Structure formats: structure tokens, C-alpha cells
Amino acid sequence: MIQPAHRGIYEFLWSEHKNSILSVSIKAFHGIATKLGKRPMILALLKKFAEHSCQEETERYNALLNAYDEIKNVLTRKERQTIIESLLEDENETAKLIYELPLKYNCKVLSGCRLFFPREQGLYKFWDAQDKPGLWCCFGAFQLHLTTNQVISKISILTEIEKKEILDILQNLKKGISYQDYNKFPDNLRKILQNHVMVAIPGKKSAWLNPRIPIEDVSCENNPFEVDQLEASALAIENIWDESEYLLDVIAKAPNLTDFQTAFSKNNLPFIIWKEGFDCEEAYKDIEERYINRLALDNGHIG
């Protein structure tokens, strides 16, 4: 399902990124917050996420403290003390504790907090556990929603791993596994899980399934799913962004035509039902126009 860009989606995305941005610098934090002012600058927001995702975390200590403040009320006195003591000795252990301990109380405040996820992967995506459960891919000019079943079918087809086996892996991740065991997963599986914001690896000490992902009712049937032309275009853009060596070069703008022609193809999107009526040239013009209009809106030239 495609949805027009709206402020609320990007405010939620920002809420997941704020501690990660804070770990870079307070200046970066305040600079990005202004992008969601009276006139939201959505494309600039996404670019800033990409820019800061590869910068050094010089303020990680403060970011961890900020994350701790968000969950401390659900913890016992002993658990709070353990976290504070760990901050003085091992920030990676602190990250592990801050992410893991709230899960005991079904507290999902930090479920998608990017301070605990690979910083450069899936930064334009988030999981919704409320109104529309599933994955939102936020492209700036519009959003694409995928159900959990569609995402897991997609992963199974792309990795050539049976869907039942994928579900078993996710069930284990839901309980938490060691980082060493997670690193034994096939490289392509880890990459695609991380590209879909599915695995938190706090402090590189453990690995957890994103708690916002409902896997209990996912079907074991593994079939390509049906999309329309615009949805196929969005999935092609997702492929371009996820496969880019430097996300800042491609994010928050229409892709170049050559890259789009390669991505918008049956071979590159084997997890969807490819329709004979899909027209690459028409699809590209539609995408290009949507980004032109979004940029104009962001800059106050429309509306």
C-alpha cells in the first residue's frame, strides 16, 4: 500500500533516530529537529539521517543516558543501579542492558531506537505495531507499507531459505541470542534482516528481534505477492537505496534512470507478481514527478 507523505510518519521515524543522532552531537540533534518545524522538510530530514549515520559517535555516553531516562521507571532499583555502574566501565554492556532489561516488562519504548541497530541500514524504515502492523518504507515523496507476511516472504525468496526456517530463526531472535551466534547466520540473511530493521544488536553483545514485529500469525506459505506499478516502483527504489555503497548519494531523490531500469525488473524483484502491463518509462516519470513536487513543497513553493 502506498500512502502520500505526511508529517506524522516522519515524526515517528525521527523518534526512533533521535538518540542515534544525539550520539553524534547535540548540535546535530537540534539541527535535525528543525526539519520537522512549521513547514516539514522531509527530504532534508532523510538526507540528514544518512549523513549522520556514518559519523563518529562522540556523544554516545549522553545518548545512552537519554535512552536510560526513557525506560528507567519500569526497572527495579537494582537494575537501575546495574546500568549506572556499567556506564563507568563498558558502554557496550550498558547498551545491552538498556535494550534488554525493558523487554522483561514488555516495555517497547526503545524497540526501534537506532542507537541499538546498525546505523547505516534501513534508516528510512520502521515497524508499526499499532494502526497498521507491518513495515513502513519512508521514501520522502511517499510511503510504502508492507505486511509482516510480505516482508518475510520477500526475505525467504531473496535468501532462498524456506519461510518456515526463517520463522524459526526469528522465534529464536525474539528470545535473544548472543552476538557470536548471530554472526554465524549467512551473510546475505544478516544483511537483509538489518536492511529491514529487524534485528537490534545492542553494544554488539547480543541480537534481538525488533519487538514491534508480529510473527505469530505469519503464514508458512511462500508465494510472491501482488503489487501495482507504483508499489513495484517503490520496491525498486528500496533496492537501489539498500544496495548503495553510500546511501547519501541516492537517498531522498528520484534515482537516475539507468539504476531504475535495472531495479524495476522481474529478475530484480522476484518476490512480487510481475505484471505484463508494468511500464518502466511511465513508472519512472511518475516517480520523478513525485520527487519534484515533494522538493517544491519542502521549499515552500507549493501550498
Side-chain angles (χ1 to χ4, degrees):
M1 178 185 73
I2 293 287
Q3 181 187 80
H6 68 83
R7 182 195 192 107
I9 287 283
Y10 293 89
E11 286 179 338
F12 188 91
L13 187 64
W14 163 238
S15 75
E16 293 204 340
H17 278 278
K18 63 181 182 179
N19 283 314
S20 178
I21 301 299
L22 185 59
S23 75
V24 174
S25 73
I26 294 176
K27 181 179 179 181
F29 177 89
H30 289 302
I32 290 183
T34 63
K35 303 302 180 188
L36 288 172
K38 187 175 180 180
R39 187 184 74 243
M41 302 177 68
I42 291 174
L43 300 181
L45 180 78
L46 291 176
K47 283 185 176 293
K48 284 296 183 182
F49 287 164
E51 177 185 336
H52 292 303
S53 70
C54 54
Q55 293 181 349
E56 186 180 356
E57 295 179 287
T58 59
E59 298 289 336
R60 189 166 181 244
Y61 180 92
N62 289 329
L64 287 169
L65 275 178
N66 198 66
Y68 166 70
D69 282 342
E70 295 184 53
I71 52 93
K72 65 182 180 182
N73 289 339
V74 306
L75 305 178
T76 66
R77 181 177 179 179
K78 183 177 181 180
E79 288 168 340
R80 293 196 296 269
Q81 182 179 351
T82 300
I83 288 175
I84 294 301
E85 289 175 352
S86 71
L87 262 172
L88 303 174
E89 299 177 2
D90 185 349
E91 288 184 4
N92 288 332
E93 180 64 20
T94 304
K96 179 176 180 289
L97 291 170
I98 289 175
Y99 194 82
E100 287 183 5
L101 289 176
L103 298 180
K104 291 174 23 181
Y105 307 103
N106 198 32
C107 174
K108 298 181 180 179
V109 171
L110 299 176
S111 295
C113 176
R114 304 313 162 90
L115 192 60
F116 308 106
F117 288 75
R119 297 171 66 215
E120 295 181 62
Q121 290 179 264
L123 56 77
Y124 61 98
K125 305 176 188 179
F126 71 85
W127 288 87
D128 184 3
Q130 297 178 350
D131 295 338
K132 289 185 173 62
L135 181 70
W136 285 100
C137 300
C138 304
F139 296 104
F142 53 86
Q143 288 83 242
L144 170 70
H145 179 264
L146 296 173
T147 67
T148 308
N149 191 57
Q150 288 173 326
V151 172
I152 297 176
S153 289
K154 175 186 175 188
I155 292 170
S156 175
I157 291 169
L158 289 175
T159 60
E160 298 182 339
I161 299 173
E162 290 293 327
K163 195 173 179 183
K164 184 180 184 305
E165 185 177 347
I166 297 287
L167 287 169
D168 288 342
I169 289 169
L170 297 182
Q171 285 287 1
N172 285 331
L173 283 166
K174 188 174 182 178
K175 302 170 189 174
I177 64 174
S178 71
Y179 183 64
Q180 290 78 10
D181 285 343
Y182 177 63
N183 267 337
K184 294 176 184 176
F185 289 7
D187 289 346
N188 64 333
L189 176 59
R190 280 188 288 113
K191 178 181 178 181
I192 197 169
L193 290 174
Q194 292 168 193
N195 279 341
H196 288 80
V197 202
M198 296 181 77
V199 181
I201 48 174
K204 293 189 176 180
K205 296 236 175 182
S206 60
W208 293 84
L209 179 70
N210 187 327
R212 293 185 181 273
I213 303 175
I215 59 175
E216 291 74 20
D217 297 325
V218 173
S219 166
C220 286
E221 293 182 7
N222 189 18
N223 299 312
F225 50 89
E226 187 171 354
V227 298
D228 61 25
Q229 181 167 288
L230 180 54
E231 291 165 335
S233 298
L235 290 165
I237 295 173
E238 179 196 27
N239 176 263
I240 293 168
W241 289 12
D242 285 352
E243 294 301 318
S244 174
E245 292 185 4
Y246 189 51
L247 182 58
L248 193 56
D249 285 345
V250 297
I251 197 170
K253 62 182 179 181
N256 66 56
L257 178 58
T258 301
D259 287 345
F260 186 79
Q261 288 171 329
T262 300
F264 188 80
S265 66
K266 182 177 181 179
N267 289 337
N268 200 64
L269 304 174
F271 48 86
I272 67 171
I273 298 171
W274 192 262
K275 298 178 182 178
E276 294 300 323
F278 285 171
D279 185 315
C280 185
E281 183 177 347
E282 178 184 82
Y284 184 75
K285 287 180 179 178
D286 183 12
I287 291 296
E288 192 174 38
E289 182 178 354
R290 287 170 185 269
Y291 275 101
I292 290 171
N293 290 340
R294 183 69 242 179
L295 183 61
L297 188 61
D298 284 2
N299 290 331
H301 299 153
I302 298 178

